[in-house]
Amino acid sequence: MANMINRRDTIFALAGLIGGGYGTLQRADGRERADYDTRAALEKAAIPAERTSVRTGGFAVVGDGGHARYRRSERQPSHSGFVQSADGAYWELAEDVVTPEMFGAVGDGSDQSVALAAMASYGRAKHRLHVQLTPGKTYAYTNPVFLTGIRGTLIINGWGASFQNIRASTFGVSGQLVNFECLVFPTVFYDHEQELLGTSSSPEFVYGPLIKTVLASGTTITLQDGGSSGDFVVGQRAMVYGFATQQGAFPNTSRYFEYVTIVAIRGRELTIDQPLRFSYFADWPIIAKNARYQGPPRILSLCRAGFQETDYIEINGLHLKSDPGWSEGAGGTINRNGRIHAGTARRFVLNKVRGDGGMYVVTGGHFTDNSSSFFGAVEIDKFIEQSEFRGVDYGSLSQGTGCRRVVIADGSLIRKMKSIDALDRLEIKDSVIDGQATETSRVFNGTFGTPFSVFTNNRIRSYPKAACMRGASELSATFDKVSSTRLDMPTSLFTSTLMVRVIQPGTILYNVNGDAVFRVRATPREAAGRTFFDGEFLGGMYSEGDQLLCSRYPYVESLGNELFGEFAKQVPACDSTGRRPLLGIRRDQFASLHQWVYPSVLQPFIANAPAVYFRPGLLIEVDRIVVSVTRPYSGSSETVMLRFRRPGSRIAFGQVDLKTTGQRVLDVSNNYGSTGGDTLIGLDGNPIGIIEIGTTEAVAYESLDEAAVWRLELEGKQLTQ
């Protein structure tokens, strides 16, 4: 009986190949037989009107992978995933998951640009595209931006398949179509993506109309004169941004940005769905004088002619291949060949992607990379709410100044760490960081420091200048008191774009004695050649012409980290396990007892290496300091001091000689136990709000046995923001 069924199946299959017929014939296993051998057979057939759907066995030939179900359409579809049968009826793809083969792709490494563009056109028309690639195949093309403009969801299941941009002859092509980009989802400033696909023309960029001043918590944004609301759509998203902090970058870095949804439009007034997080002032300075976006605030539609933000992009298991015909003379850099440009999405997720080049993450709400590997440089930069890297392996990682929160965790391996300067928060946990190639003290915190950083249970290769995983953060200038709520100074000293990285709402300015004088309440601004600050005067002493210190010392929490490598041996181990921590213990570990204890884990071999910081707004009011030196320093340096200062102050209120054993105490009224080498001053009845602890001079020693062993206790009250 089984042999008879197989023979009948063979006969019916042959009949289908010869006649291209149709019907509802069932296979012996119960599955429906393909109605038409190929898409070409469907095109040549006349199909009864009662048939609403048919299937094909391939695209060009049976078994080429292009088999699909088609559904009858009342009118000609707006996308390319359709065919017209001989009787004039239109049939469009009716698959939830499509393959490039359904649009004619072969996947043999030859140019598949036409088929892939057709597939993307289908996705744009449907507002979603779920693609299943064939393992082992390479889908090559010359237009790396072909997947842009899909409004809803884009999912690519690669799992063993490859994308490859083979645009090898692109010397002279500028912008985002240069050949080293394997796959490009461009920035939100990109425009006319479809018109420029496959051309050598530079893409155009738009920045949105200027807006009038609007304060935080506002829900109405008014366009300035000349601005048009024509690009904005009710129910769609937009980006409000402003305050450029650099001259030549693209796009210019903005200190303030947020994503909103338009709920109503009335003339030049746009109503948004939630109150603004930040204030935007129309008189913010013009910085990039030769660019269209120069600093004053704007609003940019993310749903406009020529551009469409995608809600969700997910790429799984795809290999992004480099261009074999690429040469260094064609432009770009070698480790970018095969790079992915990840932007344009509200949510962007990579899972186990492999890249021959690197990655550039830009503009979007939330980016996550799970277990991907990139040979080249990875950069996260500009207009990103949050970037997460979990279990990744990168050739290098760096960041500009436009991501609010950066998370590196879950066994990530960063082979070369460059400077990271998150706008709000940086977390590095359970990872291996190799910073050997970057000899700078600000590898983990950039030019002026991330406000809040957490480093937990990492293995970090030491390097000579890495004192404490963050960099200096101090500026000073002579301010003039304009009124009871304003200070200002000439822009020739510091422009607002420089100060805004250090002075933000809530930052406190100190005099040279360390007294808190002024709390900044608004973003530094410029007018008539002056940089000015609105806020309130505090109880500290201020005299006309005093120098004030613009200090923003970030909070750094570090616990359970281990140094390894050539320079790790210079740091004393903290316990019998031999683990050598970088920095120290977290600030709030003993908060319930109002006591914070720090063992001798400072790096004394580095000159003036500060090690413990508390930033303005997260204060500890210290009213007692106890230092117990149990083993004196015995190296060759003449001066070895543990020093206490208020941030920005040039005067230490306490210096403990680490060459002498004994206990020293500083409290609100006096000091006790000082030796001849100490310089101790009582706290004068005033608790210390912010304290800087460090060492003086360089400390040289031949072995760890020469290092001082001491214990520091801070007693007081922890305040909240």
Side-chain angles (χ1 to χ4, degrees):
M1 183 69 179
N3 289 336
M4 292 179 61
I5 293 175
N6 290 338
R7 196 177 307 114
R8 290 178 62 193
D9 274 356
T10 303
I11 294 172
F12 287 135
L14 289 173
L17 286 170
I18 296 171
Y22 56 88
T24 57
L25 196 62
Q26 301 291 313
R27 293 168 53 95
D29 59 8
R31 290 186 298 166
E32 183 177 311
R33 178 186 303 280
D35 290 321
Y36 292 87
D37 301 326
T38 65
R39 177 175 159 139
L42 173 61
E43 184 177 13
K44 296 175 182 178
I47 305 172
E50 63 267 19
R51 292 297 306 280
T52 59
S53 65
V54 297
R55 294 184 63 189
T56 68
F59 184 87
V61 296
V62 174
D64 64 2
H67 52 279
R69 176 174 292 280
Y70 288 80
R71 179 175 54 239
R72 186 187 291 272
S73 176
E74 295 296 327
R75 60 185 63 84
Q76 180 176 343
S78 60
H79 54 78
S80 55
F82 75 93
V83 65
Q84 188 175 19
S85 55
D87 56 2
Y90 291 104
W91 301 84
E92 66 173 328
L93 273 174
E95 299 284 354
D96 291 331
V97 180
V98 302
T99 68
E101 287 80 1
M102 292 178 183
F103 299 87
V106 179
D108 60 356
S110 62
D111 189 356
Q112 310 290 293
S113 294
V114 174
L116 294 177
M119 181 181 71
S121 173
Y122 175 78
R124 278 188 286 273
K126 296 292 185 179
H127 303 313
R128 64 179 300 274
L129 184 65
H130 189 166
V131 180
Q132 180 67 54
L133 305 179
T134 303
K137 286 191 175 184
T138 296
Y139 300 89
Y141 46 83
T142 60
N143 303 321
V145 291
F146 71 94
L147 285 171
T148 59
I150 297 171
R151 177 177 297 183
T153 300
L154 169 63
I155 299 176
I156 303 173
N157 288 327
W159 305 124
S162 303
F163 273 0
Q164 185 177 47
N165 177 15
I166 55 174
R167 192 188 183 101
S169 57
T170 54
F171 181 72
V173 176
S174 61
Q176 302 196 25
L177 294 183
V178 288
N179 71 302
F180 58 70
E181 303 283 6
C182 180
L183 190 61
V184 175
F185 299 94
T187 76
V188 296
F189 303 98
Y190 187 55
D191 208 11
H192 300 301
E193 72 277 358
Q194 294 310 303
E195 292 89 329
L196 294 177
L197 288 180
T199 74
S200 60
S201 302
S202 297
E204 296 182 18
F205 299 96
V206 296
Y207 299 94
L210 292 167
I211 64 175
K212 295 183 178 180
T213 294
V214 55
L215 300 181
S217 77
T219 57
T220 299
I221 297 171
T222 303
L223 309 183
Q224 290 194 28
D225 293 344
S228 171
S229 60
D231 275 341
F232 298 91
V233 179
V234 172
Q236 295 298 323
R237 295 215 309 162
M239 182 177 75
V240 185
Y241 68 103
F243 211 107
T245 59
Q246 57 191 129
Q247 290 270 8
F250 176 80
N252 303 93
T253 297
S254 284
R255 179 61 185 82
Y256 299 101
F257 65 88
E258 55 196 294
Y259 295 92
V260 299
T261 299
I262 307 297
V263 296
I265 301 174
R266 182 178 179 180
R268 291 202 299 268
E269 287 189 354
L270 308 176
T271 304
I272 58 176
D273 61 328
Q274 57 189 357
L276 289 170
R277 296 168 58 186
F278 306 108
S279 295
Y280 297 86
F281 294 94
D283 61 353
W284 276 344
I286 294 176
I287 300 302
K289 301 185 185 306
N290 295 323
R292 290 180 63 186
Y293 166 48
Q294 301 173 329
R298 295 174 179 266
I299 182 169
L300 178 67
S301 171
L302 304 184
C303 175
R304 59 184 190 271
F307 178 85
Q308 184 61 248
E309 178 192 45
T310 302
D311 284 339
Y312 181 80
I313 296 177
E314 178 183 314
I315 303 177
N316 302 306
L318 182 65
H319 180 194
L320 302 168
K321 284 187 175 181
S322 58
D323 180 1
W326 180 90
S327 65
E328 194 165 352
T333 58
I334 186 65
N335 66 355
R336 288 183 175 180
N337 187 14
R339 188 174 76 156
I340 181 174
H341 192 290
T344 317
R346 186 172 186 172
R347 184 81 166 85
F348 204 122
V349 178
L350 300 183
N351 294 309
K352 295 186 177 180
V353 171
R354 180 160 62 100
D356 293 346
M359 175 166 59
Y360 182 64
V361 183
V362 62
T363 62
H366 195 144
F367 174 85
T368 301
D369 187 350
N370 297 308
S371 304
S372 294
S373 175
F374 287 97
F375 174 78
V378 174
E379 182 181 2
I380 38 180
D381 189 30
K382 300 182 178 69
F383 305 102
I384 308 166
E385 288 289 347
Q386 178 167 305
S387 293
E388 295 183 73
F389 305 92
R390 300 186 179 276
V392 301
D393 183 346
Y394 291 164
S396 70
L397 177 66
S398 63
Q399 188 219 333
T401 57
C403 185
R404 297 200 191 288
R405 184 184 184 198
V406 179
V407 177
I408 304 170
D410 301 342
S412 291
L413 172 59
I414 310 300
R415 300 178 184 274
K416 182 190 296 184
M417 178 68 82
K418 299 183 179 179
S419 57
I420 299 276
D421 193 8
L423 290 173
D424 291 333
R425 186 179 180 96
L426 170 65
E427 299 178 25
I428 303 181
K429 302 179 289 188
D430 304 308
S431 297
V432 179
I433 308 298
D434 187 349
Q436 185 68 40
T438 307
E439 294 190 7
T440 172
S441 63
R442 65 178 187 89
V443 168
F444 293 103
N445 294 100
T447 307
F448 296 106
T450 298
F452 196 100
S453 301
V454 178
F455 308 101
T456 308
N457 298 330
N458 302 294
R459 295 192 72 237
I460 304 170
R461 183 183 294 276
S462 61
Y463 41 98
K465 296 181 182 179
C468 56
M469 300 201 292
R470 47 107 36 222
S473 177
E474 182 179 301
L475 293 174
S476 62
T478 300
F479 289 82
D480 294 321
K481 182 178 180 180
V482 178
S483 69
S484 60
T485 59
R486 176 171 292 185
L487 291 172
D488 76 357
M489 63 180 171
T491 55
S492 58
L493 294 175
F494 292 108
T495 63
S496 58
T497 56
L498 178 59
M499 299 301 290
V500 75
R501 299 193 183 196
V502 182
I503 299 181
Q504 300 173 23
T507 298
I508 299 173
L509 306 182
Y510 299 85
N511 62 22
V512 294
N513 294 320
D515 297 321
V517 171
F518 190 81
R519 186 190 302 273
V520 177
R521 290 297 190 188
T523 306
R525 290 151 65 195
E526 293 180 10
R530 310 288 291 183
T531 298
F532 62 91
F533 308 85
D534 289 325
E536 61 181 344
F537 278 89
L538 304 175
M541 298 298 294
Y542 176 77
S543 301
E544 294 295 333
D546 273 0
Q547 185 181 59
L548 293 186
L549 300 159
C550 318
S551 301
R552 175 170 155 248
Y553 281 77
Y555 164 49
V556 178
E557 175 185 298
S558 178
L559 189 65
N561 298 296
E562 180 182 0
L563 289 181
F564 69 96
E566 178 182 357
F567 298 96
K569 62 185 179 182
Q570 300 181 57
V571 181
C574 67
D575 55 34
S576 60
T577 66
R579 291 171 65 88
R580 306 182 189 281
L582 196 60
L583 194 60
I585 203 165
R586 68 187 185 192
R587 171 208 58 174
D588 58 350
Q589 184 160 356
F590 301 96
S592 61
L593 303 176
H594 301 294
Q595 184 181 68
W596 295 263
V597 179
Y598 299 88
S600 53
V601 296
L602 299 182
Q603 291 91 313
F605 60 92
I606 298 174
N608 301 314
V612 182
Y613 292 90
F614 309 110
R615 74 179 181 91
L618 292 173
L619 310 182
I620 296 175
E621 283 193 350
V622 178
D623 53 30
R624 182 180 171 91
I625 300 173
V626 180
V627 180
S628 301
V629 181
T630 57
R631 187 181 74 186
Y633 169 81
S634 59
S636 59
S637 292
E638 295 182 2
T639 304
V640 184
M641 294 284 188
L642 188 63
R643 178 182 58 201
F644 306 94
R645 301 189 310 184
R646 290 180 174 88
S649 175
R650 299 294 187 267
I651 302 174
F653 61 81
Q655 292 190 142
V656 174
D657 185 1
L658 295 179
K659 299 176 72 173
T660 305
T661 58
Q663 185 183 81
R664 288 76 148 179
V665 179
L666 291 80
D667 64 19
V668 294
S669 60
N670 211 329
N671 67 82
Y672 308 92
S674 61
T675 66
D678 298 333
T679 304
L680 304 179
I681 303 172
L683 304 185
D684 300 326
N686 295 316
I688 300 172
I690 304 168
I691 188 171
E692 171 188 334
I693 307 170
T695 57
T696 62
E697 306 300 332
V699 179
Y701 48 80
E702 296 296 330
S703 69
L704 293 178
D705 293 335
E706 296 179 356
V709 176
W710 47 268
R711 176 185 175 91
L712 166 66
E713 297 180 16
L714 305 178
E715 297 178 7
K717 179 182 179 182
Q718 180 175 347
L719 303 180
T720 57
Q721 206 164 15

